Amino acid sequence: MLADQPDYEVVGEAANYQELKAVLRNTIPDMLIMDYDQPGAFSLDDLVWIARRYPQIRILVISNNKHKHDIVTALQAGVSSYLLKECGKDEIFSALKATMHGEQFFCSQIVDNVLERRYPVSCEGLVLTERELEIVKLVAEGYTTAEIARMLCRSVHTINTHRKNILGKLGLKSPSELVLYAIKRGLVAA
């Protein structure tokens, strides 16, 4: 699929972890597309090592692995985006574009799967990214997802992914709770 796209150049391919390490010794790509759940080829430990060793590489996982623990481990290691292999071509290209722009992208099944698990809240509180704070503010100001997508030059799916991530991080269940959060935090006037 990528070979036919003028915006992307494939700079290396690897069938297993050893081959990937050899490729990474010679070139550091902007993005790595990987299925870490391939017995005899790649493992979750390999993915974690790569994400920590090369934090400048944006990692897009396309896998069949739906195990919450593995997904959370991959995300905590620094994976940028995560799709299931059953996702369509359009969703894959949306994920590629978002990942290359430094954004996170998750198919809805991954978001739903991960949000079922509540993370322990630390004493430091939750930190939203600048983009997430911007989206919270726009939601609280009454803009629709489509309007926010146009304003930020992003896809509707990307904005929906951000909204689901924000609700999950804050432990909220609805847009109205998000508006109350924004008012309490002084992001918008009451």
Side-chain angles (χ1 to χ4, degrees):
M1 280 180 12
L2 290 178
D4 298 334
Q5 299 297 315
D7 296 338
Y8 302 99
E9 176 187 358
V10 177
V11 296
E13 293 183 49
N16 59 51
Y17 181 60
Q18 293 306 320
E19 287 181 20
L20 181 57
K21 283 175 70 175
V23 169
L24 293 175
R25 277 193 291 272
N26 297 320
T27 185
I28 304 297
D30 295 319
M31 178 170 45
L32 172 66
I33 302 169
M34 181 179 188
D35 180 1
Y36 67 87
D37 194 28
Q38 294 296 310
F42 298 103
S43 70
L44 181 58
D45 290 338
D46 300 335
L47 176 68
V48 170
W49 183 87
I50 291 163
R52 290 187 178 146
R53 173 71 175 88
Y54 299 98
Q56 71 274 34
I57 299 176
R58 296 176 184 108
I59 300 175
L60 167 59
V61 169
I62 303 178
S63 181
N64 282 328
N65 189 330
K66 298 179 186 179
H67 301 311
K68 289 181 208 173
H69 176 267
D70 293 346
I71 295 167
V72 170
T73 300
L75 298 177
Q76 289 173 336
V79 165
S80 304
S81 301
Y82 200 118
L83 300 177
L84 294 176
K85 287 185 178 178
E86 59 202 58
C87 293
K89 187 175 180 179
D90 290 341
E91 193 164 23
I92 291 171
F93 280 115
S94 293
L96 287 166
K97 184 176 180 182
T99 304
M100 282 305 299
H101 283 97
E103 297 180 358
Q104 291 183 313
F105 190 101
F106 308 104
C107 71
S108 59
Q109 287 187 51
I110 294 300
V111 172
D112 293 342
N113 198 353
V114 171
L115 290 183
E116 285 181 11
R117 177 171 181 211
R118 295 287 176 218
Y119 300 99
V121 177
S122 71
C123 295
E124 298 168 17
L126 295 168
V127 178
L128 296 179
T129 65
E130 286 183 40
R131 178 61 60 144
E132 289 170 337
L133 286 171
E134 185 177 21
I135 291 170
V136 168
K137 187 175 185 286
L138 292 170
V139 168
E141 289 173 353
Y143 291 102
T144 66
T145 300
E147 290 170 330
I148 295 169
R150 278 193 301 277
M151 292 167 71
L152 301 180
C153 300
R154 299 291 180 252
S155 73
V156 169
H157 183 83
T158 297
I159 300 304
N160 276 329
T161 298
H162 278 301
R163 287 179 66 152
K164 286 180 182 179
N165 289 343
I166 292 164
L167 291 174
K169 276 186 178 182
L170 299 175
L172 304 176
K173 293 180 175 50
S174 69
S176 58
E177 289 180 341
L178 189 58
V179 171
L180 289 174
Y181 170 86
I183 292 169
K184 287 179 184 176
R185 296 290 180 193
L187 299 174
V188 292

